[in-house]
Amino acid sequence: MAQKAVSEQWEPELFLAELCELEASHRHESRLKRLLKESKLPVGKQLHQYNFDEIDGVTSLQIKQKVNQIDRLRQGHNILLFGASGLGKTHLACAIGYALLEKSVRVKFSTSTSYCSRATASKRNLRLK
């Protein structure tokens, strides 16, 4: 970038602004990668890949509205998904997680089976992790 700035005779302010923009972009990308790794979300379950025609009671718009209610989530409110097997609850949960990650919100994916296993182990060991 320094070579480009010299060859194009950039003003110092422009050079500094471009450097700051590059650094901010790099930090944002690094944060997203770290959050994605920490989230343990399964790969390939995005909202645009879900077929809302297969279910009743929830729409794409409703899910997008929930994702945009970041303040409620930061206050500790949860989003619970219930339904019969095979309807795509996990897909929707992951899609919500990915959408929140894009907004730099920390997400942690886990299944109810995993929670039950940990609760059973905690009871057996009389210790809660």
Side-chain angles (χ1 to χ4, degrees):
M1 183 173 292
Q3 290 174 346
K4 183 177 181 180
V6 169
S7 68
E8 295 180 9
Q9 299 178 352
W10 287 1
E11 293 292 323
E13 297 84 7
L14 177 60
F15 178 63
L16 184 58
E18 289 294 322
L19 280 179
C20 289
E21 182 66 32
L22 184 64
E23 177 67 16
S25 176
H26 175 71
R27 286 182 182 211
H28 180 71
E29 288 297 319
S30 295
R31 178 172 168 75
L32 287 180
K33 285 179 186 176
R34 181 175 44 80
L35 289 175
L36 180 59
K37 184 177 178 181
E38 290 174 356
S39 73
K40 300 194 178 189
L41 282 165
V43 178
K45 300 209 182 269
Q46 303 287 336
L47 195 55
H48 68 273
Q49 297 169 321
Y50 188 78
N51 185 2
F52 283 91
D53 296 334
E54 299 291 322
I55 60 169
D56 293 327
V58 69
T59 65
S60 174
L61 180 61
Q62 288 173 316
I63 298 298
K64 289 175 184 175
Q65 287 172 342
K66 288 293 180 194
V67 168
N68 288 326
Q69 295 176 348
I70 294 173
D71 290 339
R72 287 183 48 84
L73 296 172
R74 287 195 173 132
Q75 292 171 358
H77 295 264
N78 296 308
I79 297 173
L80 302 175
L81 303 171
F82 296 95
S85 180
L87 293 178
K89 296 176 298 294
T90 301
H91 190 129
L92 279 178
C94 293
I96 291 167
Y98 278 112
L100 290 170
L101 283 176
E102 290 173 4
K103 296 176 181 291
S104 292
V105 175
R106 181 171 274 135
V107 171
K108 183 72 168 190
F109 177 81
S110 185
T111 62
S112 58
T113 305
S114 172
Y115 279 114
C116 290
S117 296
R118 285 186 277 172
T120 302
S122 294
K123 183 178 179 182
R124 182 178 54 246
N125 298 330
L126 298 176
R127 268 189 115 164
L128 185 61
K129 289 186 179 181

